[in-house]
Amino acid sequence: MTTHLLPPGAPDPAVDRTVVGENLSLPLFRTLSGVLAGHPYLKVVVDRAEDTWHLLDTAVHPFHVNYVATRILDMELEALDACLDAFNASVYRDPGRRFLLGVLSLHTDEDSDGRERPFLVLETTESDTMHGALLDAFYAFVRGRVDGRLPLLLKPANHGQEQELTAISEVRVPRIPSHELFGNRTRTPLNAAEAIGRLRYFRTAEEYEAAADGLGWSDIVAMACLPDDVPRVAGFLNTAPTTPLSHTNVLASGWGIPNAIVRDLEQIVEKDDLNGAWVRYLVRDDEITLVPLATAPALEAPTWHQQRIRMEPPLLEDAPALALHRLRRADRDRYGTKAANLGELHHVLDSRTADLTAFYGQSRPPRTDLYGHLAARLGVTDATAGGLRQAAAEFAARTVAAPDGVALPFALQQRFLTSSPALQQGIGKLKMALELDAVEVLDSLCLHLQHVVRNTPMPEEVTRQITQAFPAPLAAGSRLVVRSSSNAEDLPGFSAAGVYDSVTTVRGAGELLDAVRRVWASLLSPRSVRLRHQVGISLDDTYMGVIIQQYVPADLGGVLVTCNPTKREDFRNVYLNCSPGSPETVVDGTTLPQQYLYNTVEGGGRTVALGSSGEDLPTATRSRLMDLALTGRLLQSHFSEGDADHPLDIEWLMTDQGDFRLVQIRPYAL
């Protein structure tokens, strides 16, 4: 039996059942609709000039604009493609437009007696700039032609529409925000992939911890909130809300395994007796399925068992502790990827010579490029390549800053490790265990070695270099942050998100030395050693640089990725999460963040979820976040290293002065 957690499928497009001018009943809706994200939906076009509407057969007409151009205006598709951006502007942004384009979707809730009650939701596209009068007219037109027994709510498609609706009575135009409609939805795809494995469902963290050592590559782990140290398995299932930017979903993305939120999984597991059963698990943008298998399949080891990650050998010759702004990307082999990227960020923002427009120069058929859209986002009239390069560089430099700090090279860790016979002996034993694949002793060797690292005195020269690296803040007793910067992270096929330690509450020389040793020791944790060993990264080639920064109080912090992680073909949107204070609370899952999507092509943003706070950010702050999202998109052109479409993962904070600081920048694992 197949358990469809989100229903797949679309109608057969053999016959065009589009109707014009008819009132909409529930049976007609079901005849014409398709399914998206588990909900039946129907595209509508209101023709204000003809005072009628068109109900599109979803299977035949997937795009409003194509239908309007070819079926109403008698244009050829080639002619539409030649003027697509101008045509889009006429139907989505012209305040006096003839056509109003939208989608009706069918949802259900329960009445006071617990009976299921259907209702319709009307919305436009995310880039639509309908003002209040048009929204009012659109709702009134549709309300007058929909079965009166069906409640109809308007869902603002972006923050601009939300603001326009504040002047209109909710009695006149009943509405529902996106985060309220979808924030508590039962099932949400997070990472699209497919796997065959044994479903292991854990009701409590204690149940998981008792079984964690026995989990393997063929297991699909299901629980309320997966821990960051979950081993590499076949798939994830969350039964509590989480964000696509959590460490565990970044891991799922990097590992290419399915991940979804299924809040009623316990009932499904009990009903179909799935705990411990072999299943085929599929996650797509609009489909989640669990298919029980009659017998245990004969599975081959996954490809990552044979996968070997290539990395440049570390450079261990003497190198000084350097201010971050003196580093460039090429320094990753001495100071680690994280430090080198922050140094490169300093250079990009200070020199303003990097080309930050490459993403917009990509061909997006039928468009040859998106330069016109970039000019509009930057508020400039010069859409030439040269003019946009300068404007983009200046915009990024105005919007964000790179953090100050100091980077410690691999050479310091190497000098520390070779200073202690006990450390050398412990490393030798660990290497031998890895060579023999002696998994039964691996954890104990790693834990013992970490203990030795944390408690071994540093050589005097190493101590001096560390304590003199950041002398003024250290002498003043300022709070410091000590971050990891390994060469074994942010690699193609190996992100290591959440694997290594950072320490954020450091004061004084003693705590600084302890924090550096703790960061070094995280390179030897059982989990990090196992993950690297699985992909062929040798312990001999793995080193840890360290970043020391002065703590900066933050009113807001978070993570953005320059893509829509739940819809990979979406090249328009940047996904941004935030919560009060440190970005760490977003990625480690301790706080459910506020979640936003910002369109960096046509503009506009929308709230996806309110998170633990239960409140949206002020309008002015959301507008600032739009600038941050656009800056992330611009930086993607430089940091994606040859593939302008490859997204970035950026941790950021907004200081109590209202300035944005980027504290980490790395490729997002796809």
Side-chain angles (χ1 to χ4, degrees):
M1 181 187 67
T2 299
T3 300
H4 285 286
L5 305 181
L6 284 182
D12 185 347
V15 180
D16 185 353
R17 293 165 290 219
T18 295
V19 299
V20 180
E22 292 187 23
N23 286 350
L24 180 64
S25 63
L26 194 53
L28 179 58
F29 178 94
R30 295 190 185 280
T31 298
L32 299 175
S33 66
V35 176
L36 183 65
H39 298 282
Y41 77 101
L42 171 65
K43 293 180 182 292
V44 300
V45 174
V46 172
D47 187 342
R48 301 172 73 202
E50 299 293 334
D51 193 33
T52 190
W53 70 339
H54 301 246
L55 307 176
L56 277 56
D57 185 342
T58 304
V60 181
H61 302 292
F63 302 109
H64 287 97
V65 168
N66 287 15
Y67 178 86
V68 171
T70 60
R71 296 300 183 93
I72 301 179
L73 302 179
D74 294 324
M75 293 176 64
E76 297 293 332
L77 276 177
E78 293 77 8
L80 173 63
D81 288 348
C83 64
L84 183 60
D85 286 333
F87 194 91
N88 280 340
S90 73
V91 295
Y92 291 125
R93 293 188 287 282
D94 185 346
R97 68 192 75 171
R98 170 181 170 181
F99 300 104
L100 306 179
L101 314 183
V103 171
L104 280 166
S105 54
L106 183 64
H107 303 259
T108 59
D109 61 8
E110 291 184 353
D111 62 19
S112 56
D113 296 324
R115 292 173 299 190
E116 195 172 79
R117 182 188 68 154
F119 66 97
L120 290 172
V121 172
L122 174 66
E123 64 179 302
T124 69
T125 67
E126 64 186 30
S127 60
D128 197 304
T129 60
M130 278 194 197
H131 52 70
L134 279 181
L135 290 167
D136 187 1
F138 191 29
Y139 177 84
F141 188 100
V142 175
R143 175 69 280 177
R145 289 158 180 81
V146 170
D147 187 331
R149 293 170 296 180
L150 284 173
L152 176 66
L153 303 175
L154 180 70
K155 180 170 82 68
N158 50 53
H159 293 147
Q161 289 186 5
E162 288 179 6
Q163 186 63 31
E164 288 289 324
L165 285 170
T166 58
I168 300 174
S169 165
E170 292 198 39
V171 175
R172 181 180 178 87
V173 181
R175 67 206 65 164
I176 185 168
S178 177
H179 58 79
E180 185 176 323
L181 184 64
F182 296 116
N184 294 319
R185 61 195 243 188
T186 304
R187 300 166 187 127
T188 305
L190 291 175
N191 193 63
E194 184 175 3
I196 293 176
R198 185 177 54 157
L199 184 65
R200 303 290 302 278
Y201 175 56
F202 303 106
R203 291 171 176 79
T204 65
E206 290 74 20
E207 283 186 15
Y208 168 83
E209 290 168 3
D213 289 343
L215 294 175
W217 57 264
S218 61
D219 289 320
I220 296 169
V221 179
M223 59 188 300
C225 184
L226 286 101
D228 281 353
D229 62 355
V230 63
R232 192 160 187 172
V233 292
F236 295 156
L237 272 162
N238 304 266
T239 63
T242 186
T243 166
L245 303 190
S246 66
H247 273 152
T248 51
N249 198 53
V250 172
L251 290 174
S253 176
W255 293 342
I257 64 174
N259 189 19
I261 302 169
V262 181
R263 300 177 71 173
D264 60 345
L265 183 66
E266 182 168 4
Q267 297 94 297
I268 295 168
V269 167
E270 291 181 354
K271 175 177 175 291
D272 297 328
D273 194 24
L274 293 182
N275 194 18
W278 289 91
V279 299
R280 184 184 300 274
Y281 174 33
L282 172 70
V283 177
R284 293 286 182 265
D285 290 347
D286 58 354
E287 180 182 2
I288 304 172
T289 59
L290 283 173
V291 183
L293 304 177
T295 59
L299 296 178
E300 295 183 1
T303 56
W304 57 263
H305 262 250
Q306 291 79 43
Q307 180 185 19
R308 290 298 176 261
I309 300 298
R310 297 185 60 186
M311 53 188 288
E312 295 298 321
L315 300 178
L316 301 176
E317 72 272 13
D318 280 344
L322 284 181
L324 286 174
H325 71 266
R326 296 181 60 186
L327 300 183
R328 296 293 300 274
R329 189 157 38 187
D331 290 310
R332 67 184 64 179
D333 298 329
R334 289 182 176 87
Y335 295 87
T337 306
K338 199 177 298 181
N341 281 350
L342 289 179
E344 186 74 12
L345 178 62
H346 271 281
H347 171 74
V348 167
L349 298 178
D350 293 343
S351 71
R352 306 189 185 188
T353 58
D355 181 9
L356 304 183
T357 68
F359 173 86
Y360 291 88
Q362 299 281 92
S363 175
R364 312 284 176 185
R367 306 170 182 86
T368 57
D369 59 61
L370 299 175
Y371 285 146
H373 290 284
L374 177 57
R377 302 286 69 74
L378 296 174
V380 299
T381 56
D382 184 358
T384 63
L388 285 175
R389 282 186 63 167
Q390 184 64 31
E394 292 176 355
F395 181 88
R398 287 196 308 270
T399 305
V400 303
D404 294 326
V406 170
L408 305 182
F410 299 156
L412 281 183
Q413 185 202 18
Q414 168 72 351
R415 195 177 304 171
F416 168 72
L417 293 176
T418 56
S419 70
S420 166
L423 283 171
Q424 290 297 294
Q425 184 182 38
I427 292 172
K429 289 180 178 179
L430 180 57
K431 289 179 182 177
M432 181 64 71
L434 292 170
E435 290 174 7
L436 298 175
D437 203 23
V439 294
E440 68 280 359
V441 298
L442 198 61
D443 285 10
S444 61
L445 289 175
C446 288
L447 293 171
H448 172 72
L449 195 48
Q450 284 189 288
H451 175 78
V452 176
V453 169
R454 293 190 187 109
N455 291 278
T456 296
M458 289 188 183
E460 183 177 340
E461 177 60 20
V462 175
T463 297
R464 184 185 64 79
Q465 288 198 46
I466 294 173
T467 55
Q468 291 185 3
F470 220 26
L474 193 61
S478 299
R479 178 177 169 183
L480 302 178
V481 176
V482 178
R483 301 184 186 276
S484 61
S485 180
S486 172
N487 64 336
E489 61 183 323
D490 304 335
L491 301 170
F494 189 77
S495 73
V499 171
Y500 305 122
D501 285 351
S502 294
V503 187
T504 61
T505 56
V506 176
R507 293 184 187 273
E511 289 187 9
L512 175 59
L513 296 176
D514 288 343
V516 171
R517 280 189 292 250
R518 175 176 163 183
V519 171
W520 285 342
S522 67
L523 199 66
L524 299 165
S525 71
R527 181 173 183 242
S528 70
V529 169
R530 286 177 184 276
L531 290 175
R532 292 194 305 269
H533 183 61
Q534 287 168 352
V535 296
I537 297 177
S538 169
L539 191 61
D540 285 329
D541 293 333
T542 308
Y543 280 86
M544 180 66 77
V546 176
I547 300 170
I548 305 172
Q549 298 166 293
Q550 191 164 359
Y551 172 77
V552 177
D555 284 348
L556 201 64
V559 180
L560 68 85
V561 293
T562 57
C563 66
N564 182 349
T566 64
K567 192 176 182 182
R568 300 297 172 78
E569 69 275 14
D570 176 8
F571 64 86
R572 290 173 164 81
N573 283 292
V574 164
Y575 203 95
L576 186 149
N577 286 188
C578 58
S579 62
S582 167
E584 280 80 5
T585 63
V586 172
V587 296
D588 67 12
T590 56
T591 298
L592 192 61
Q594 294 150 317
Q595 301 175 41
Y596 300 92
L597 276 170
Y598 286 99
N599 185 326
T600 58
V601 177
E602 290 88 3
R606 64 187 189 273
T607 303
V608 177
L610 297 182
S612 302
S613 71
E615 296 181 355
D616 210 343
L617 291 170
T619 301
T621 303
R622 294 189 317 222
S623 178
R624 300 271 335 274
L625 292 179
M626 174 73 244
D627 290 344
L628 176 64
L630 178 57
T631 301
R633 177 71 81 201
L634 296 174
L635 292 173
Q636 176 180 331
S637 294
H638 181 76
F639 282 91
S640 54
E641 299 193 55
D643 181 2
D645 277 341
H646 196 97
L648 298 180
D649 177 339
I650 298 174
E651 291 187 19
W652 57 272
L653 55 84
M654 188 174 75
T655 71
D656 52 8
Q657 303 299 312
D659 303 319
F660 287 121
R661 306 265 183 102
L662 306 189
V663 297
Q664 181 168 309
I665 184 166
R666 60 186 177 186
Y668 179 64
L670 284 177

